[in-house]
Amino acid sequence: MADEPTAKTSTALLVLGCPQVPVQTGIALYLINRLKKAGLTPVVAGNKAANTLLVVSDPDRHYVGEVIDLDRAVGLISDKKRDFDRCFVFVHNDAGVTYAATMGAISGAKLYALVYGEHFEEQAKKIDFPCTVIAAKAVHNPLPLKKAIDEVAPWAA
């Protein structure tokens, strides 16, 4: 039998910022679960606090797989050493908008901006680059953002 090409696994990058808003960790775990069920391989890129919260929340790694430093991920993508099929940037402040714009500029991934927090409408208005914006007022209760994500079903796109 001839060597058959192996099917490329679809990948998704989750870009986490400062975990100042409580829903970020829960929504990240939810999204990781949905992506895995859809056959995508999720990779988390965040700052030390965001990454640590995820790893501590899933100590047996049932959901969380590869976790890398956010600055390292940006470097790998900008140097064309790595890229992803989808990219989900968590946005609750100006830094999140900047990371989403950066990912849109350096990555070939289909880009999603998950906008949440007390001032989610203001942040969503700042996004003037191509991406799918998924926004909801979610600070402590993740259900409004979960509902908005479910309506878009980005794992099926």
Side-chain angles (χ1 to χ4, degrees), residues 6 16-17 34-35 47 52 59 62 66 75 82 86 91 105 108-109 113 117 119 126 129 143 145 152-153:
T6 56
L16 305 181
R34 291 303 305 254
L35 292 167
N47 65 24
T52 301
H62 293 290
E66 183 180 358
R82 190 155 187 198
R86 297 180 191 151
V91 176
H119 306 287
K126 295 175 185 175
F129 45 88
L143 292 179
L145 186 55
V152 174

Side-chain angles (χ1 to χ4, degrees), residues 123-152:
Q123 295 304 325
K125 288 178 186 173
K126 295 175 185 175
I127 298 173
D128 60 358
F129 45 88
C131 72
T132 299
V133 176
I134 302 172
K137 184 175 184 175
V139 179
H140 294 95
N141 179 1
L143 292 179
L145 186 55
K146 177 194 173 295
K147 180 180 178 189
I149 292 168
D150 288 347
E151 287 173 1
V152 174

Side-chain angles (χ1 to χ4, degrees), residues 24-48:
Q24 178 175 272
T25 301
I27 289 295
L29 287 168
Y30 173 74
L31 186 56
I32 289 167
N33 179 51
R34 291 303 305 254
L35 292 167
K36 281 183 156 188
K37 283 184 175 182
L40 286 95
T41 301
V43 175
V44 173
N47 65 24
K48 185 173 175 99

